[in-house]
Amino acid sequence: AFVYYQNLPKEITRYNFYGTEFEFRNDLRKAENVSVYPDEESVLRKVWDSDITKINIAYVPTNDSSDENSVIALNAFEIRFKLDVAYRNPNFNWINEFTSTELTSFDDIEQANDTLVIALVRPSLADETSVELDGNVVYVKGKSQEELDLATIKFLMVALNITV
């Protein structure tokens, strides 16, 4: 039994991005299974599009006492922090303005050519767990809190070109 457990693959929760150690709350291999639409390359190109100078993290909060608002806040912080560190890395040296927007509905999202909107879809509104690019909007959706975390990690893996 000891040999069996010794040889099990260890969780990958850290990644060195050009000298910066990023830590994730879940195993990157689990996040690898989250679907990306239309494909990972399209999302990667959109995140690093030279026309994008603003990143807006949008969400629809809940009015009840559920933990969904705190999960949205945690995922929004993680996306903002890691993308900001990546953009400011001396290898890239991009400066993007980050904002967040509280919406009443995802139908209210305004698109602009210079703005990438990252829409965090809380579990009670999500119809699936995925990362989906639609124009200049990337929808990060999870049907549960853990699945939203995994979708966020998957988005960051794609955005930062992380492979496991």
Side-chain angles (χ1 to χ4, degrees), residues 14 34 39 42 46 89 113 122 130 142 154 161:
R14 295 178 178 266
V34 174
D39 56 70
S42 298
K46 185 56 73 176
N89 184 289
N113 290 337
R122 60 186 163 91
S130 66
K154 179 63 174 190
N161 204 21

Side-chain angles (χ1 to χ4, degrees), residues 58-59 72 106 119-127 139-142 148:
Y59 60 96
I72 291 292
F106 287 111
L120 293 175
V121 183
R122 60 186 163 91
S124 60
L125 295 177
D127 56 350
Y139 293 93
V140 178
K141 305 185 253 186
L148 180 58

Side-chain angles (χ1 to χ4, degrees), residues 75-94:
N75 284 291
F77 175 80
E78 182 174 16
I79 289 169
R80 190 224 185 274
F81 175 76
K82 288 180 173 133
L83 281 184
D84 192 36
V85 168
Y87 284 142
R88 292 177 187 271
N89 184 289
N91 292 299
F92 307 109
N93 202 26
W94 287 26

Side-chain angles (χ1 to χ4, degrees), residues 2-56:
F2 176 75
V3 173
Y4 173 77
Y5 287 109
Q6 189 81 6
N7 292 324
L8 284 176
K10 307 282 186 271
E11 280 190 347
I12 300 173
T13 58
R14 295 178 178 266
Y15 187 84
N16 186 309
F17 182 81
Y18 294 93
T20 300
E21 189 78 17
F22 283 140
E23 186 167 343
F24 295 90
R25 290 183 320 282
N26 211 322
D27 188 352
L28 298 180
R29 281 178 280 200
K30 285 183 182 177
E32 187 69 28
N33 297 323
V34 174
S35 300
V36 179
Y37 304 105
D39 56 70
E40 293 184 16
E41 184 65 28
S42 298
V43 174
L44 177 65
R45 279 195 315 269
K46 185 56 73 176
V47 170
W48 291 96
D49 184 339
S50 60
D51 294 334
I52 300 293
T53 59
K54 298 174 186 165
I55 309 290
N56 183 6

Side-chain angles (χ1 to χ4, degrees), residues 133-148:
L133 176 65
D134 181 16
N136 275 12
V137 181
V138 178
Y139 293 93
V140 178
K141 305 185 253 186
K143 293 192 315 185
S144 70
Q145 291 181 10
E146 181 182 9
E147 288 181 18
L148 180 58

